[in-house]
Amino acid sequence: GENVEQHPSTLSVQEGDSAVIKCTYSDSASNYFPWYKQELGKGPQLIIDIRSNVGEKKDQRIAVTLNKTAKHFSLHITETQPEDSAVYFCAASTGSHFGNEKLTFGTGTRLTIIP
Amino acid sequence: NAGVTQTPKFQVLKTGQSMTLQCAQDMNHNSMYWYRQDPGMGLRLIYYSASEGTTDKGEVPNGYNVSRLNKREFSLRLESAAPSQTSVYFCASEIGTGNTIYFGEGSWLTVV
């Protein structure tokens, strides 16, 4: 089955600096790569996703890049703010006609923004 | 619009007790999921339901049962709780075509 590795497990950056979180996956059939943000005491919430036919996607201060050849994808957060502090999860899925039952999550990165 | 609602939020059980976690979504989604989250393990799929009337095992189904009561509701039952089932449980739903999964707020379960 799919195996998703995520690094680093913890990351601290100064407010205003950029943060990068990296994930690798094992199943070359994976075609959907979402990123989730989980705030303390809350459920994960989708912040951005990318599909295999695209190499990069950007939404304001957040961007995701995908390298299918190397089987890795990364989350980039620019101009970090205190509210970016959270745990971030990457995931990969081969998808199906029905849904994302094949979605495999990374182990998470705890991002701390230092004011 | 409540999204995905799960109850209870917190529960302490004794080993061997049984309980059911309830989940309901009001987004008319077809697919529903139960995950557990443990430190350093990410989110692992316990069971899922691709549509009303169907359920299937995920990555870690042992010790659990599920019921898709109707399109809105998907419950998770622990028949005989064990300390290894101490975890945070998340219910989630998705319209069902490989799109965004929406999570509930989580249920913190401790088995002593």
Side-chain angles (χ1 to χ4, degrees):
Chain A
E2 176 68 278
N3 182 45
V4 177
E5 294 190 358
Q6 182 172 349
H7 299 282
S9 56
T10 61
L11 178 63
S12 296
V13 300
Q14 290 290 142
E15 181 178 353
D17 287 350
S18 296
V20 180
I21 302 170
K22 299 181 179 181
C23 289
T24 60
Y25 61 99
S26 61
D27 189 346
S28 57
S30 289
N31 55 18
Y32 175 59
F33 307 92
W35 285 89
Y36 285 83
K37 176 183 181 182
Q38 186 177 25
E39 297 177 343
L40 193 62
K42 302 286 188 181
Q45 184 173 16
L46 180 77
I47 55 171
I48 195 167
D49 58 11
I50 192 168
R51 297 190 184 270
S52 58
N53 57 345
V54 176
E56 184 174 358
K57 184 176 179 181
K58 190 173 181 180
D59 182 4
Q60 299 181 16
R61 297 185 297 108
I62 294 173
V64 57
T65 58
L66 171 65
N67 183 326
K68 285 216 73 177
T69 302
K71 289 191 281 189
H72 68 71
F73 56 113
S74 300
L75 177 71
H76 304 254
I77 305 174
T78 58
E79 302 172 16
T80 53
Q81 301 169 4
E83 54 264 37
D84 294 330
S85 293
V87 178
Y88 292 81
F89 291 95
C90 63
S93 171
T94 57
S96 77
H97 173 72
F98 298 104
N100 269 314
E101 66 271 19
K102 301 296 185 187
L103 193 65
T104 301
F105 286 84
T107 52
T109 296
R110 182 174 299 279
L111 175 64
T112 302
I113 306 302
I114 305 166
Chain B
N1 189 344
V4 180
T5 304
Q6 51 182 114
T7 57
K9 184 109 175 157
F10 300 98
Q11 184 73 50
V12 178
L13 285 178
K14 292 183 179 179
T15 298
Q17 285 186 318
S18 62
M19 77 158 298
T20 300
L21 299 175
Q22 306 286 354
C23 176
Q25 52 89 11
D26 61 3
M27 296 174 282
N28 201 36
H29 285 172
N30 293 313
S31 298
M32 296 187 73
Y33 307 85
W34 275 105
Y35 288 89
R36 62 178 287 174
Q37 184 176 35
D38 302 291
M41 301 287 287
L43 290 136
R44 294 182 293 168
L45 184 63
I46 305 171
Y47 269 93
Y48 67 95
S49 170
S51 61
E52 184 179 355
T54 67
T55 61
D56 283 287
K57 295 178 180 179
E59 181 185 354
V60 288
N62 291 345
Y64 306 95
N65 285 301
V66 291
S67 296
R68 184 73 182 268
L69 304 170
N70 48 56
K71 192 171 185 179
R72 291 186 63 247
E73 299 172 289
F74 187 39
S75 62
L76 178 72
R77 182 161 179 84
L78 287 70
E79 289 291 351
S80 179
S84 60
Q85 294 178 304
T86 293
S87 187
V88 184
Y89 292 86
F90 288 97
C91 178
S93 72
E94 178 196 10
I95 194 165
T97 55
N99 289 297
T100 304
I101 291 182
Y102 295 86
F103 286 86
E105 297 275 278
S107 295
W108 273 253
L109 176 65
T110 300
V111 183
V112 297

